[in-house]
């Protein structure tokens, strides 16, 4: 891991509370030292207000522009909420499928240390670059990225890490059904950046069916359980999706995988993908969500927009 400058806790010899670097404003929100606004959410509330700003706004300046090309980016506010809620400064955070490094970046900005594992070299390189960029912005935590298959954590990470991880934050891949970007063309709308490894490596977890995905994710969670300290927490974001009109219940599959991996489910929360405005939800749907919902309603199926991610929380007994 790269060296970091001493955190305020190091210099003062005291720990800090989870709202380090924030102060209250007259609008009833917290303002981060980087100028971002976040709503005040009562501690322990099961609904996380994580989309008060759009994903691009949350990432702007904080992540390198190349990050947008990843087909399945976690909202930075979701990772940040988990880090602040379940860790203390200098704790170690792990993401076994770190992608562009969202969990790692939010952890080191919060004064935690982090380690990520990423299967595809392209995203691992971007995660490394995002870590370097975060340090130029004043992030005090240390982080590193290991290239390899997250289902083989024991073979990838040093044995000395066993029992040292305070928090795991991750999300299983959904594949090209749900993600990607679009651009208008003379022949209609073209979809791009929607496939892992450009679809070339069919061994990627994203290309398994639900049973195969759940089995692979169980292997990942087993590896995480061995690294967690007693009482450590695992936070997994997941959502169901429809394939050929049928609901794919990924959250239930993730819960079952966690139980088989020896973890204890403790909470099931909601991370909003919609903004809260005057007591109402303002949806932020993707092009694909709107297209699916419109087609379904035209066919007579009363489908609605997805406005949240399930947040499944486990503990190591």
């Amino acid at each position: 891991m790269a060296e970091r400058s001493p955190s305020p806790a190091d210099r003062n010899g005291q720990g800090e509370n989870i709202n380090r670097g924030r102060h209250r404003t007259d609008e009833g929100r917290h303002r981060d030292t980087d100028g971002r606004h976040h709503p005040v959410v009562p501690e322990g509330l099961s609904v996380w207000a994580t989309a008060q700003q759009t994903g691009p706004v949350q990432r702007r300046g904080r992540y390198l522009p190349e990050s947008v090309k990843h087909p399945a980016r976690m909202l930075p506010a979701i990772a940040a909420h988990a880090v602040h809620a379940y860790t203390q400064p200098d704790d170690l955070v792990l993401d076994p499928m770190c992608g562009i490094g969202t969990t790692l970046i939010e952890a080191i900005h919060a004064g935690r240390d982090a380690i990520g594992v990423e299967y595809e070299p392209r995203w691992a390189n971007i995660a490394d670059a995002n870590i370097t960029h975060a340090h130029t912005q004043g992030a005090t935590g240390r982080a590193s990225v290991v290239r390899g298959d997250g289902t083989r954590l024991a073979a990838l990470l040093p044995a000395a890490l066993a029992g040292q991880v305070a928090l795991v934050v991750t999300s299983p891949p959904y594949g090209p059904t749900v993600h990607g970007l679009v651009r208008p063309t003379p022949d209609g709308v073209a979809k791009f950046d929607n496939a892992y490894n450009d679809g070339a490596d069919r061994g990627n977890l994203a290309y398994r069916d639900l049973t195969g995905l759940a089995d692979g994710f169980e292997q990942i969670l087993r590896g995480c359980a061995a690294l967690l300290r007693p009482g450590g927490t695992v936070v997994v974001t997941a959502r169901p999706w429809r394939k050929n009109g049928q609901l794919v219940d990924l959250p239930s599959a993730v819960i079952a995988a966690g139980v088989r991996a020896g973890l204890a489910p403790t909470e099931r929360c909601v991370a909003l993908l919609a903004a809260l405005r005057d007591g109402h939800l303002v949806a932020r749907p993707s092009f694909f969500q709107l297209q699916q919902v419109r087609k379904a309603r035209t066919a007579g199926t009363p489908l609605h927009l997805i406005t949240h991610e399930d947040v499944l929380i486990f503990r190591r007994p």
Side-chain angles (χ1 to χ4, degrees):
M1 294 184 181
E3 292 295 323
R4 66 177 174 90
S5 58
S7 69
D10 295 328
R11 291 192 294 268
N12 298 335
Q14 297 176 342
E16 297 174 291
N17 63 38
I18 62 173
N19 288 323
R20 67 194 299 273
R22 297 184 178 185
H23 65 270
R24 286 294 300 272
T25 69
D26 292 336
E27 292 84 7
R29 294 176 291 181
H30 285 118
R31 184 197 298 270
D32 277 349
T33 51
D34 63 2
R36 287 179 169 84
H37 289 280
H38 300 274
V40 176
V41 180
E43 187 176 352
L45 191 66
S46 61
V47 177
W48 301 3
T50 46
Q52 294 296 83
Q53 298 170 316
T54 64
V57 170
Q58 290 185 29
R59 297 184 191 94
R60 188 175 301 149
R62 198 173 179 89
Y63 294 78
L64 296 177
E66 295 87 351
S67 303
V68 73
K69 296 181 179 181
H70 192 278
R73 302 170 304 282
M74 182 183 292
L75 274 180
I78 294 178
H81 187 116
V83 166
H84 284 289
Y86 297 102
T87 66
Q88 297 295 324
D90 297 323
D91 278 348
L92 179 60
V93 179
L94 166 69
D95 188 341
M97 293 183 291
C98 72
I100 61 170
T102 302
T103 296
L104 316 186
I105 300 309
E106 299 309 317
I108 64 176
H109 272 295
R112 281 68 167 166
D113 294 333
I115 187 165
V117 174
E118 174 51 38
Y119 183 72
E120 295 189 25
R122 176 187 183 186
W123 308 125
N125 291 336
I126 291 177
D128 273 334
N130 278 328
I131 291 168
T132 300
H133 180 62
H135 285 141
T136 67
Q137 295 183 317
T140 58
R142 299 168 296 177
S144 64
V145 180
V146 176
R147 290 146 183 80
D149 186 346
T151 63
R152 302 178 63 251
L153 290 180
L156 291 174
L157 300 181
L161 287 178
Q164 301 301 308
V165 173
L167 174 67
V168 174
V169 182
T170 196
S171 180
Y174 300 100
T177 307
V178 192
H179 297 294
L181 302 175
V182 294
R183 68 164 67 94
T185 71
D187 299 319
V189 175
K191 191 174 183 179
F192 63 102
D193 288 337
N194 63 311
Y196 291 87
N197 203 32
D198 297 324
D201 185 356
R202 307 308 291 186
N204 192 307
L205 204 60
Y207 297 109
R208 299 187 186 183
D209 60 16
L210 182 60
T211 300
L213 175 59
D215 289 344
F217 202 62
E218 178 188 342
Q219 291 178 273
I220 291 171
L221 293 179
R222 283 188 185 278
C224 292
L227 297 169
L228 281 172
R229 67 190 185 193
T233 304
V234 176
V235 173
V236 181
T237 66
R239 72 175 86 159
W241 74 90
R242 290 186 182 274
K243 185 174 183 179
N244 300 324
Q246 300 298 311
L247 186 69
V248 180
D249 188 3
L250 181 59
S252 293
V254 168
I255 292 173
V259 171
R260 293 195 303 270
L263 298 168
T266 57
E267 300 175 72
R268 186 167 184 168
C269 298
V270 164
L272 291 179
L273 304 175
L276 282 170
R277 297 286 185 269
D278 299 322
H280 298 280
L281 291 177
V282 179
R284 304 191 191 281
S286 69
F287 170 85
F288 311 110
Q289 285 181 302
L290 282 173
Q291 185 183 51
Q292 271 193 329
V293 169
R294 287 168 177 163
K295 285 182 177 180
R297 289 186 174 182
T298 299
T301 303
L303 201 62
H304 296 275
L305 290 172
I306 296 172
T307 57
H308 76 279
E309 293 251 22
D310 286 52
V311 185
L312 311 170
I313 299 165
F314 305 85
R315 288 284 173 87
R316 176 186 169 183

